Amino acid sequence: MFRLLCSVTTLLVLFSCSKDQSFDTLIRHGKVYDGSGGEPYAADIGINGDSIVAIGDLSRAKAKTVIDANGMAVAPGFINMLSWATESLLIDGKSQSDIRQGVTLEVFGEGVSLGPVNDDIRKGMISQMRDYSFDIPWTTLGEYLEWLEKKGVAPNVASFVGATTLRIHELGMDNRAPTSDELERMKALARTAMEEGALGVGASLIYAPANYAKTDELIELCKVASEFGGMYITHMRSEGNGIYAAVDETIRIAREAHIPAEIYHLKMAGTENWNKLDSVTRMIAAANESGLRITADMYTYPAGATGLDASMPPWVQEGGIYHWMKRMTDPVIRKRVVNEMRTRTDGWENLLLMAGSSDNVLLVGFANDSLKRYTGKTLTEVARIYGKSPEETAMDLVIADSTRVGTVYFMMSEDNIKRQLQLPYISLGSDAESSAPEGVFLKSSTHPRAYGNFARLLAKYVREEKVISLQEAIRRLTSLPASNLKIKRRGSLAAGNYADVVIFDPQKIQDHATFEKPMQYATGMMYVMVNGTVVLDNGEHTGATPGRVVRGPGWTPRSDR
């Protein structure tokens, strides 16, 4: 039906064209991939203000600006379903690493969101600022997003409200269930966020204190999101040994809260779990056949990135970073932690074991200048320097850095990446910040997905390995996530939609970021428009910051609240 409507719209616009038409911007001679997944077609696109007003043969029309897209693909702007540009955009709103790949909408909220904040959360955020700092004048999630828009950002921005943030707001870092009053206050905060335009509730259930939450707590929060037409999106409790139970929990939450659900960065982590993909996809298929809507997103690399906290038991982290650090100075506790870090369990997610060896654990993010010399080294290499075991070294690094330490874990199968990309409900998310290889961003390294996730899909998996077609890849980057998020007027090229448009050469689009040198821009993306404004012009950033807040289906204008 969607493809039919797009085709009808295109035909209506085509027949209405005349030589008297005039546009602010006219894109000529391009091959249009409208986001539907259908075959591309030759057409021109006329844009006035922030919107597309015509698609068809506009050869006789005039325009203030004409972009010649001959030989190039013209597509809707890409949607990053899992972005951690929450802070990097506060430092540099140009969003260079993502804009140069065609991302026009950054979606935040994996468990933690930048609102609501209270005095304790604000103090905690300030205490963890290292390489760069910023003011926190907002209180609610909606105010944070509006602050970004006012400050000026190149891409559009949207967010889920973080279940972790709601929990910390009311319970701090305590490992316990909320009282009935605390849960009601958490639900009220979620309701406010949904009224402000949050897309739903986001969770990150392998991390403390998120993993202290029981399923019933999450269901209650998701019931609030469901009232507003939102969705539940989750970094599940397990992506490895306990993945079946984790998928079951996700499905249960979707069913009991009457809400669509998405699995963040779907993966089978750890070699012993690589063979579980078929079973997991069968579980998702059965849930969808029963009437639920379960989708997933992913990134295009065999390694994930998080922190050393993901290698340590949750109990030692209770109370936050300083309590965690203090416990790890106790010899008795250290011995227990080392033992648990070395012991296989389904009780918590141990990424060190899933990586198979500390040789497969890469250290990329330190706050302490004296430790930055270890950036890019494996945990094995640093353990050798320390003369200690990898487990003891991991604890020492957290203590010395006063952070969880940014870490890359090599855990996934390349074959599974390709098979997952063929699933029709898979969209894409970088799970990374959007930065630039300059200034304060050079103080720490990153994962190559921050600079190459979307270009890698189009280069490696579409052009080179032909895992999926270009039109299907574009659908996964555009109309699929827009539909899942219930975002209107974005995600497809159609008259009346906002002019979020990308133009690239399918034969030249290329990622260059590597694990050794991750901060390298992708190439081949020639033009990017956000709300009708050119942000990338012939491959170079214009400095424009036309990004806006994109709100979810429950948004209520302030005067109506």
Side-chain angles (χ1 to χ4, degrees):
M1 178 61 73
F2 177 79
R3 296 185 188 183
L4 176 61
L5 289 174
C6 286
S7 299
V8 170
T9 300
T10 301
L11 288 172
L12 288 174
V13 173
L14 179 64
F15 286 119
S16 69
C17 298
S18 74
K19 64 181 179 180
D20 297 325
Q21 282 188 301
S22 180
F23 305 103
D24 292 335
T25 303
L26 182 58
I27 302 171
R28 293 191 189 276
H29 309 134
K31 183 176 286 188
V32 174
Y33 293 78
D34 60 19
S36 68
E39 290 295 323
Y41 51 87
D44 306 321
I45 298 179
I47 297 167
N48 279 332
D50 62 4
S51 300
I52 297 169
V53 295
I55 302 176
D57 181 0
L58 307 177
S59 57
R60 296 187 294 173
K62 298 179 181 179
K64 298 174 185 176
T65 301
V66 176
I67 297 175
D68 186 357
N70 185 41
M72 289 188 277
V74 182
F78 301 159
I79 297 174
N80 184 352
M81 274 297 292
L82 174 47
S83 171
W84 278 107
T86 45
E87 296 183 1
S88 60
L89 287 178
L90 288 166
I91 305 305
D92 180 1
K94 293 192 292 296
S95 191
Q96 293 255 30
S97 61
D98 269 358
I99 285 291
R100 289 171 181 266
Q101 297 182 77
V103 173
T104 60
L105 173 58
E106 305 279 2
V107 181
F108 312 136
E110 186 197 2
V112 174
S113 54
L114 269 284
V117 300
N118 56 20
D119 288 344
D120 287 341
I121 290 175
R122 187 175 282 107
K123 290 175 184 176
M125 292 172 64
I126 292 171
S127 71
Q128 287 295 294
M129 292 179 185
R130 293 294 190 273
D131 289 344
Y132 45 77
S133 61
F134 48 85
D135 295 328
I136 310 173
W138 63 85
T139 298
T140 69
L141 177 58
E143 289 168 354
Y144 160 72
L145 294 171
E146 289 168 358
W147 177 262
L148 273 181
E149 181 179 310
K150 181 179 178 181
K151 182 179 181 297
V153 288
N156 299 309
V157 291
S159 185
F160 289 83
V161 62
T164 310
T165 299
L166 297 176
R167 170 171 259 272
I168 294 173
H169 195 283
E170 295 304 313
L171 281 76
M173 300 292 287
D174 290 355
N175 183 1
R176 62 177 176 84
T179 65
S180 58
D181 287 344
E182 288 168 337
L183 182 58
E184 286 304 312
R185 290 198 296 270
M186 291 166 66
K187 291 167 66 175
L189 290 168
R191 184 167 287 107
T192 297
M194 294 304 297
E195 290 173 345
E196 290 180 321
L199 300 168
V201 171
S204 52
L205 300 177
I206 76 162
Y207 303 109
N211 50 17
Y212 303 154
K214 305 301 183 185
T215 307
D216 289 344
E217 176 184 322
L218 297 167
I219 290 170
E220 288 302 305
L221 296 177
C222 285
K223 284 180 179 177
V224 175
S226 178
E227 294 173 18
F228 294 87
M231 73 182 300
Y232 172 58
I233 189 164
T234 178
H235 181 151
M236 298 187 300
R237 243 175 253 277
S238 175
E239 298 173 323
N241 298 345
I243 194 167
Y244 297 149
V247 174
D248 274 337
E249 180 185 43
T250 303
I251 293 170
R252 178 190 165 192
I253 292 169
R255 179 174 291 111
E256 295 190 21
H258 305 289
I259 194 169
E262 174 142 325
I263 298 169
Y264 272 133
H265 42 58
L266 181 66
K267 64 174 74 74
M268 311 297 123
T271 55
E272 69 273 25
N273 298 308
W274 289 356
N275 64 354
K276 294 180 178 179
L277 179 58
D278 286 341
S279 296
V280 167
T281 55
R282 282 195 294 268
M283 295 171 72
I284 294 171
N288 286 329
E289 288 168 5
S290 75
L292 298 178
R293 181 168 177 79
I294 310 295
T295 54
D297 55 66
M298 64 180 289
Y299 46 80
T300 55
Y301 295 84
T306 178
L308 288 175
D309 55 332
S311 292
M312 299 185 200
W315 62 264
V316 78
Q317 302 173 48
E318 184 176 350
I321 183 69
Y322 297 110
H323 292 280
W324 177 20
M325 291 162 56
K326 184 178 180 180
R327 288 190 189 99
M328 292 190 297
T329 62
D330 183 318
V332 175
I333 291 178
R334 283 177 70 92
K335 184 176 180 180
R336 178 183 169 188
V337 171
V338 167
N339 182 60
E340 292 190 20
M341 289 175 72
R342 292 174 177 173
T343 304
R344 178 190 170 99
T345 178
D346 293 341
W348 58 280
E349 199 87 328
N350 186 339
L351 300 198
L352 176 57
L353 288 185
M354 288 183 179
S357 163
S358 57
D359 294 339
N360 297 325
V361 177
L362 192 68
L363 303 169
V364 298
F366 293 99
N368 189 326
D369 287 341
S370 68
L371 299 176
K372 289 184 184 294
R373 64 185 184 275
Y374 300 136
T375 300
K377 294 185 181 298
T378 67
L379 182 57
T380 298
E381 291 172 324
V382 179
R384 191 174 296 122
I385 294 169
Y386 273 40
K388 296 183 178 181
S389 71
E391 295 81 7
E392 291 176 296
T393 300
M395 286 190 280
D396 287 345
L397 290 173
V398 169
I399 293 169
D401 204 51
S402 298
T403 76
R404 64 182 192 146
V405 180
T407 311
V408 171
Y409 296 89
F410 290 83
M411 305 178 293
M412 283 84 80
S413 155
E414 180 66 29
D415 182 61
N416 278 351
I417 290 174
K418 296 175 185 177
R419 294 174 63 202
Q420 288 178 200
L421 284 171
Q422 294 173 329
L423 298 171
Y425 52 78
I426 287 282
S427 55
L428 280 294
S430 69
D431 198 4
E433 75 285 0
S434 183
S435 65
E438 59 188 42
V440 294
F441 296 123
L442 292 175
K443 291 185 177 182
S444 294
S445 189
T446 188
H447 189 296
R449 64 193 182 190
Y451 283 75
N453 186 61
F454 306 96
R456 182 176 174 83
L457 170 69
L458 300 174
K460 177 179 174 63
Y461 297 107
V462 172
R463 183 180 66 236
E464 297 171 11
E465 301 190 12
K466 297 179 173 53
V467 175
I468 56 175
S469 67
L470 180 56
Q471 56 263 37
E472 177 62 9
I474 289 172
R475 183 184 75 86
R476 308 290 192 77
L477 293 166
T478 58
S479 68
L480 175 63
S483 174
N484 290 342
L485 297 171
K486 299 180 182 176
I487 292 173
K488 298 178 180 178
R489 297 182 61 195
R490 300 188 194 273
S492 62
L493 297 181
N497 280 7
Y498 289 112
D500 295 342
V501 185
V502 301
I503 303 172
F504 63 96
D505 187 337
Q507 299 306 313
K508 294 182 179 179
I509 190 83
Q510 186 65 56
D511 61 301
H512 301 284
T514 65
F515 287 100
E516 294 74 25
K517 294 182 178 180
M519 301 179 80
Q520 300 186 78
Y521 288 138
T523 55
M525 185 63 63
M526 301 310 296
Y527 297 90
V528 175
M529 299 184 74
V530 178
N531 299 313
T533 297
V534 177
V535 175
L536 197 70
D537 186 350
N538 199 29
E540 294 300 323
H541 204 294
T542 65
T545 53
R548 297 175 184 170
V549 178
V550 173
R551 295 176 172 88
W555 176 60
T556 305
R558 277 195 178 86
S559 60
D560 297 335
R561 290 181 202 164

